[in-house]
Amino acid sequence: MSEVKSMNQDYQTTITQETPTLKAICQVLEEAGVEYLFGLPGGNMSKMYPYLYGNENIKPILVRHEQVASIMSEVYGRLTGKPGVYTSQGAWAIANGTMGAIEALQGSSPMMILTDMSDNAPYSQHAPYQIGTGEYGGYDVKKAMEAVTKYTTAVYSPEQAVQSTQIALKHSLSGNPGPVSVVFHSNSINGVVDSTSSPKIYHTQHYFKFSEKTEDSNKIQKAADELAKAAKPFIIAGSGVHRSKAYGELKALAEQIGAPIGTTAGGKTSIEETHPNAVGVMGNWGQDVANKFLQEADVVLVVGSRLTPTDTVFESLDLIDPARQTLIQIDIEEKNASWTYPVDQTLIGDAKAILTQIIDNLNNNGKNVDPKEVEKRIAEITYQKDLLGFMEVEEGKSDVRPILTQRVVKEIEKVIDEKTIITLDSGENRVFMTNLLKSKAPGSIIAPTASGAMGYSMPAALATKLVHPDHEVLAVCGDGSFPMTMNALLTAVQYDLKIVVLVMNNSSLGWVKNNQGDKVIASTYDDCDFSAMAKSFGCEGIRVTDPDKIGEALETAFRSEKCTVIDVITTDTESYKKAQSSLMQNR
């Protein structure tokens, strides 16, 4: 009898009879292990916050704009593998807060948006001021959210609200992770949950039962055979390596067979680029050495990448050609396999689990590559990196003023260590960082490579600091991106999140301007002192005009007890085209 009672208690939720709906939702989040609620109170969702007062397990993080909350929840999900949760009023969740959802949808980060229809039942179909039910005269929150999420549900009763939140959390994590949304009607928000009613409400953790996501042993053996007999194997590491946290397994396999690892832009830092097997980013924004080894490979293992056009120099057959190369693709989502290219073998499942299977198969069946051959392959990688100037350019040593972007990147590289995490933005600053910054640790760069969003780096840095408080966090952005989310500095000050922000300030939208030739229009603006702005927000601010002072400014900022903005005055003459690989430039 006691055994049965114990089992029943295990299924019991913390939600009791006659619990207000939003209190019950908070308890669902607590049962799910949610640590933070990112958001801006508004509409009916404001009624959720009193139930978090004094809660020791869930901390609300107040932002000044929904875009910041959205990005913070996406990055939290990306880093932890748990859904990042944000909430705001329906209209503004749509209008301001979907950037993170777009990145999460295309980049496979688990996150959840909790929002409302801002209606006033029983008048939900009347006078459409802020009413998002999709009824006569109003806008449709659910329909808008469906466009940018993996799954969206609208709820109209208290019990439905609880179960739908649990199911949404499950969907955010199952299969290919992604963003989900729960849209509350006022009838659900203003009701109470009866835990004894039907349908029954169970503990949230029981919705998180997933398979191991491994692959059939015969398919693993076939893939291992191909890699073992390859004369010139090559491993492509995509963003799926980050999502799976498969860093150790990726490195172990490469070392075992002597394969060079090239990453996609989204997969950058799947392996530290100081590692002997690392050949940097491939494709449009990559290193010539990465593209060279990929071109010459006979067997290519693709790990967690959809092989987008910018990863493949617009699907150049000189880089990847299924007619002359054996392609093996690992992906957690079956629809991603054999998508861009027809591949010889697909391995569907979690990257970490499948790489482990391949390594075990090689070890257990005596298929390991001869150590002398591995040593020879590593020597060739080293030789080609030296020959082709791996991540080194003359501009990186230049003393020119205004400062060259390449010099800024190399100065950052000198100062950071294995515990520094860098968040990037969009624009020329990001492609130069992608191309030239030699990373020193796996998972040390976070960028909006799925969406290419501006205004990303500072909110991303805040979420990163929450997840990794013992790491130094550096946000790198351009002067086009910085103003878009500079309100994030207020959140940094409020919650004592000591991040460092480096702005490459050339008073222009560099990518746009460099595409305009002699007809420059709507892409330049007057100089703005972002360091002075930072001080007015309660941060430290440093302005740098001398390239020799960049390192000193970074060291000072990392030692500071405050969030610090470094405003580096850079040239507007260096084009993003210099960060392109030779294969792309010759296309």
Side-chain angles (χ1 to χ4, degrees):
M1 178 68 78
S2 62
E3 190 173 323
V4 174
K5 183 178 179 182
S6 174
M7 181 188 71
N8 288 339
Q9 286 178 338
D10 184 47
Y11 279 85
Q12 287 177 1
T13 176
T14 54
I15 298 166
T16 58
Q17 197 170 352
E18 301 299 314
T19 301
T21 302
L22 290 178
K23 181 179 180 180
I25 297 302
C26 289
Q27 289 174 237
V28 165
L29 299 181
E30 194 167 348
E31 289 177 357
V34 172
E35 297 176 281
Y36 299 102
L37 183 69
F38 306 104
L40 191 61
N44 284 325
M45 299 313 297
S46 295
K47 300 174 183 178
M48 188 173 183
Y49 283 81
Y51 299 116
L52 293 174
Y53 187 85
N55 190 310
E56 296 181 357
N57 297 313
I58 303 176
K59 182 176 182 178
I61 302 294
L62 175 64
V63 299
R64 306 304 194 272
H65 193 280
E66 292 85 352
Q67 178 180 342
V68 173
S70 179
I71 295 169
M72 289 184 75
S73 61
E74 184 271 324
V75 172
Y76 177 88
R78 181 192 295 213
L79 291 175
T80 65
K82 300 188 296 184
V85 182
Y86 106 83
T87 183
S88 73
Q89 186 175 358
W92 322 122
I94 296 167
N96 299 335
T98 56
M99 181 181 286
I102 292 171
E103 178 68 27
L105 181 65
Q106 297 183 176
S108 305
S109 297
M111 67 173 283
M112 184 164 73
I113 302 168
L114 299 176
T115 189
D116 74 318
M117 300 180 188
S118 300
D119 63 305
N120 297 288
Y123 313 107
S124 301
Q125 78 278 25
H126 289 165
Y129 171 71
Q130 291 191 342
I131 293 178
T133 59
E135 295 290 342
Y136 182 84
Y139 57 91
D140 193 328
V141 178
K142 180 176 185 287
K143 187 177 289 184
M145 280 295 174
E146 285 175 337
V148 294
T149 60
K150 175 185 176 183
Y151 170 79
T152 289
T153 182
V155 296
Y156 297 86
S157 69
E159 287 80 13
Q160 182 192 17
V162 173
Q163 287 197 335
S164 293
T165 302
Q166 292 173 318
I167 292 168
L169 285 164
K170 172 188 174 182
H171 276 303
S172 74
L173 294 169
S174 62
N176 200 29
V180 297
S181 178
V182 182
V183 183
F184 298 98
H185 188 276
S186 60
N187 274 337
S188 67
I189 283 179
N190 296 321
V192 294
V193 175
D194 185 349
S195 61
T196 63
S197 68
S198 183
K200 290 283 292 179
I201 295 172
Y202 299 102
H203 196 285
T204 305
Q205 282 297 327
H206 293 285
Y207 287 84
F208 303 149
K209 304 296 183 184
F210 305 114
S211 63
E212 195 176 348
K213 301 173 185 174
T214 53
E215 190 48 286
D216 177 77
S217 59
N218 291 327
K219 294 182 73 174
I220 293 295
Q221 181 170 327
K222 183 180 177 183
D225 287 344
E226 291 289 352
L227 291 168
K229 70 182 183 183
K232 293 185 176 182
F234 188 92
I235 300 175
I236 296 174
S239 60
V241 176
H242 294 306
R243 301 302 183 269
S244 179
K245 302 294 185 288
Y247 305 125
E249 292 74 16
L250 177 75
K251 189 186 300 184
L253 179 59
E255 290 173 345
Q256 191 168 2
I257 64 175
I261 297 177
T263 74
T264 63
K268 186 177 172 74
T269 73
S270 292
I271 184 171
E272 63 273 26
E273 287 155 321
T274 53
H275 191 278
N277 291 71
V279 291
V281 175
M282 48 169 271
N284 293 26
W285 308 110
Q287 292 293 307
D288 290 340
V289 66
N291 287 342
K292 174 182 171 60
F293 277 108
L294 179 53
Q295 285 175 296
E296 297 174 353
D298 59 342
V299 177
V300 179
L301 176 64
V302 184
V303 186
S305 172
R306 288 168 286 195
L307 299 176
T308 67
T310 52
D311 293 327
T312 59
V313 191
F314 297 106
E315 300 176 22
S316 169
L317 293 178
D318 290 334
L319 191 64
I320 300 175
D321 184 356
R324 63 179 173 82
Q325 295 169 315
T326 297
L327 303 182
I328 304 167
Q329 187 172 8
I330 300 172
D331 207 287
I332 199 166
E333 177 58 64
E334 192 162 6
K335 72 179 182 182
N336 293 339
S338 272
W339 179 5
T340 306
Y341 297 94
V343 304
D344 296 276
Q345 190 178 354
T346 60
L347 301 173
I348 306 304
D350 176 74
K352 186 182 184 77
I354 290 181
L355 287 172
T356 299
Q357 285 184 285
I358 293 173
I359 292 167
D360 289 345
N361 187 281
L362 288 169
N363 289 334
N364 296 337
N365 293 289
K367 300 174 189 171
N368 282 316
V369 178
D370 185 284
K372 290 184 179 179
E373 177 61 24
V374 171
E375 188 178 331
K376 179 181 175 183
R377 291 175 183 179
I378 298 300
E380 179 63 15
I381 294 171
T382 302
Y383 171 75
Q384 292 296 338
K385 287 197 308 194
D386 290 341
L387 181 67
L388 297 173
F390 182 57
M391 290 191 171
E392 296 296 337
V393 291
E394 285 302 312
E395 293 91 336
K397 305 170 186 175
S398 174
D399 292 325
V400 167
R401 300 188 196 184
I403 304 168
L404 298 190
T405 311
Q406 299 93 323
R407 175 69 187 271
V408 179
V409 174
K410 300 316 284 186
E411 290 299 316
I412 292 172
E413 183 183 300
K414 290 177 185 176
V415 173
I416 61 171
D417 61 21
E418 291 80 1
K419 290 194 69 175
T420 308
I421 301 176
I422 300 174
T423 63
L424 301 181
D425 231 290
S426 190
E428 288 188 320
N429 61 90
R430 190 186 91 200
V431 296
F432 276 110
M433 290 287 288
T434 299
N435 182 264
L436 289 177
L437 185 88
K438 193 179 295 181
S439 62
K440 299 177 181 179
S444 58
I445 289 182
I446 299 163
T449 52
S451 64
M454 294 178 71
Y456 184 89
S457 64
M458 282 190 287
L462 297 184
T464 301
K465 193 66 175 178
L466 285 172
V467 175
H468 297 296
D470 57 333
H471 285 63
E472 298 289 2
V473 180
L474 171 66
V476 177
C477 58
D479 54 337
S481 295
F482 179 83
M484 292 184 178
T485 50
M486 62 185 178
N487 62 78
L489 296 176
L490 297 171
T491 300
V493 171
Q494 180 173 351
Y495 295 98
D496 194 26
L497 297 174
K498 198 203 76 170
I499 63 170
V500 176
V501 181
L502 186 145
V503 187
M504 298 189 194
N505 186 352
N506 63 1
S507 297
S508 71
L509 296 171
W511 197 301
V512 177
K513 178 178 176 292
N514 283 317
N515 266 325
Q516 291 176 339
D518 296 332
K519 298 179 179 179
V520 175
I521 181 172
S523 59
T524 61
Y525 25 77
D526 294 338
D527 175 56
C528 188
D529 189 340
F530 297 120
S531 64
M533 278 188 182
K535 290 176 183 177
S536 73
F537 283 7
C539 303
E540 298 287 1
I542 304 171
R543 189 162 240 221
V544 178
T545 58
D546 181 348
D548 290 332
K549 298 295 184 181
I550 297 171
E552 179 183 321
L554 283 165
E555 296 281 8
T556 299
F558 284 134
R559 287 195 304 267
S560 174
E561 292 304 312
K562 288 185 177 182
C563 171
T564 303
V565 174
I566 304 171
D567 187 16
V568 182
I569 307 306
T570 56
T571 182
D572 65 349
T573 60
E574 291 298 285
S575 168
Y576 68 90
K577 295 176 184 178
K578 281 192 173 183
Q580 292 176 333
S581 65
S582 297
L583 191 59
M584 179 60 187
Q585 290 175 0
N586 296 330
R587 182 173 176 270

